[in-house]
Amino acid sequence: MGWWEIGADTLASGRFVVSPLAETIACLKTLHAGAAAHPGERAWLDAYLPAYRERLARDAVTALLVRAALGPTWNADFLTPTPAGEGEPGFEDELEAVLATPPEAAREQLVVSLGGPLPPALHRSDLPVRLAGLLRWIWTRTVLPTWPRRRRVLEADVVARTARLGQGGWAAALGDMRPGMRWLGGSRLQVNTHDYPPRDLAGARLLFVPVTPRRTWVSWEAPHRYAVVYPCAGPLADAAGSAPPGRGPDGGAGPAAGGPSVPAALGALLGPARARVLVLLADPKSTSQLVALTGQGLGSVGRHLKVLLDARLAARRRAGRSVLYYRTAAGDTLVGAQD
């Protein structure tokens, strides 16, 4: 199995970051696989997969490059650079890490991801430029139109995991982060089930990077930074980028009544609409996310939130550019009593 030795100092300084490039790479992986994890992703694939396949059909070298970079057990390192973890980088800023890869290093990394010799067609010096061009196309065409919604979902996941961290420590925050990852005891974190040598992260910065597609990987720029990219959870993650642009708020598909059901007794107590908002606040959400999930108007959601805040059944905190609302312990008790 692959595991990391993580000291107390490294773990204490670990942080969650939002990365436009990681979101784009996760979308590339989804397009490459051509398989949807849920209905919302199926709609997204229906909208963009034909154009993606047409683009690669016109460029055989880039098509071969993508297949080589997305190896059976390992990604080529220059496809998945480790985020810097500083500030709020833009997509083009992060893409510089791909473009700055020396051609010889890119070819060596492709040999590793392939697990064998490099095809003759890839013995060339423009591989980083080609890969960066494809990532820019995916960002511009398939991610950017719904990036505001995606970013809010990512920020909500960070707030939710930070809350778990405060309540139950790192084991609670990371326990369900990605398949194959778990605490092994002591200071050892298993990051996958592959037979890779252990790595000592002493003195390194540890980053956790959520993405909305159900894709996951690890990367590092040893000895300085290590990153775990993981899929965020919840009904909004399933709808974050589901629809083609031009429909509904933020280019989405309009309101959808998603999420868990409302207990009848809770609906009778608070009113069905307000009870639904409280039930959905099991994980932090913004007002626009609640509008999308409930189908209620922005004004109605705002009024429900004010009542829940005044009753101390909900609280709020800022995450990046968003204000996110979540249930308090009193709110959890009220909802739990109806189960």
Side-chain angles (χ1 to χ4, degrees):
M1 68 186 71
W3 57 272
W4 293 349
E5 185 81 21
I6 303 175
D9 290 344
T10 298
L11 199 56
S13 63
R15 59 173 300 191
F16 292 85
V17 299
V18 172
S19 166
L21 180 59
E23 182 77 1
T24 303
I25 295 166
C27 288
L28 168 61
K29 286 172 171 279
T30 302
L31 288 166
H32 182 74
H38 50 78
E41 197 163 83
R42 180 72 265 164
W44 181 82
L45 279 173
D46 287 345
Y48 297 115
L49 185 58
Y52 171 77
R53 288 178 170 170
E54 181 182 352
R55 189 185 191 284
L56 292 189
R58 298 195 308 265
D59 187 349
V61 173
T62 300
L64 183 60
L65 171 59
V66 171
R67 290 196 296 272
L70 295 172
T73 61
W74 192 255
N75 302 314
D77 290 349
F78 74 108
L79 169 62
T80 55
T82 304
E86 302 288 347
E88 188 174 339
F91 173 79
E92 291 294 337
D93 296 327
E94 293 191 292
L95 194 64
E96 284 299 318
V98 179
L99 290 165
T101 307
E104 182 178 352
R107 293 192 294 269
E108 291 173 353
Q109 292 166 17
L110 289 170
V111 170
V112 175
S113 62
L114 278 168
L118 198 65
L122 296 182
H123 284 276
R124 50 194 303 145
S125 62
D126 63 347
L127 300 181
V129 175
R130 284 179 173 272
L131 192 55
L134 179 63
L135 289 169
R136 185 181 288 113
W137 183 89
I138 292 171
W139 163 256
T140 304
R141 292 283 298 273
T142 80
V143 181
L144 184 59
T146 53
W147 178 241
R149 176 188 290 186
R150 291 174 184 268
R151 187 179 62 229
R152 286 194 294 271
V153 172
L154 300 173
E155 290 171 346
D157 184 90
V158 170
V159 170
R161 291 194 182 272
T162 302
R164 290 188 206 172
L165 176 61
Q167 295 166 359
W170 282 103
L174 308 183
D176 62 347
M177 182 172 280
R178 66 190 299 262
M181 190 165 86
R182 63 188 180 92
W183 289 105
L184 298 176
S187 57
R188 297 180 303 161
L189 175 66
Q190 177 182 315
V191 295
N192 56 46
T193 57
H194 299 302
D195 188 20
Y196 295 143
R199 305 188 70 89
D200 188 349
L201 274 62
R205 167 170 283 187
L206 181 58
L207 305 172
F208 300 99
V209 187
V211 293
T212 62
R214 293 183 187 172
R215 303 290 165 179
T216 178
W217 65 91
V218 298
S219 66
W220 56 77
E221 187 176 308
H224 307 294
R225 299 189 309 279
Y226 288 74
V228 176
V229 179
Y230 69 92
C232 55
L236 276 166
D238 293 351
S242 60
R247 300 172 56 202
D250 298 329
S261 60
V262 176
L266 185 66
L269 177 65
L270 300 179
R274 185 169 299 149
R276 179 159 184 75
V277 170
L278 183 62
V279 168
L280 287 169
L281 293 181
D283 295 312
K285 294 176 178 65
S286 68
T287 53
S288 57
Q289 290 171 341
L290 290 167
V291 167
L293 279 176
T294 63
Q296 301 175 35
L298 181 60
S300 296
V301 168
R303 287 190 291 273
H304 296 321
L305 287 171
K306 184 179 187 307
V307 171
L308 295 173
L309 289 169
D310 290 345
R312 298 186 180 180
L313 298 175
R316 61 188 173 190
R317 69 175 69 173
R318 180 167 291 279
R321 302 177 183 178
S322 300
V323 175
L324 301 177
Y325 297 83
Y326 58 96
R327 281 204 310 252
T328 61
D332 288 339
T333 299
L334 181 59
V335 174
Q338 314 303 317
D339 293 339

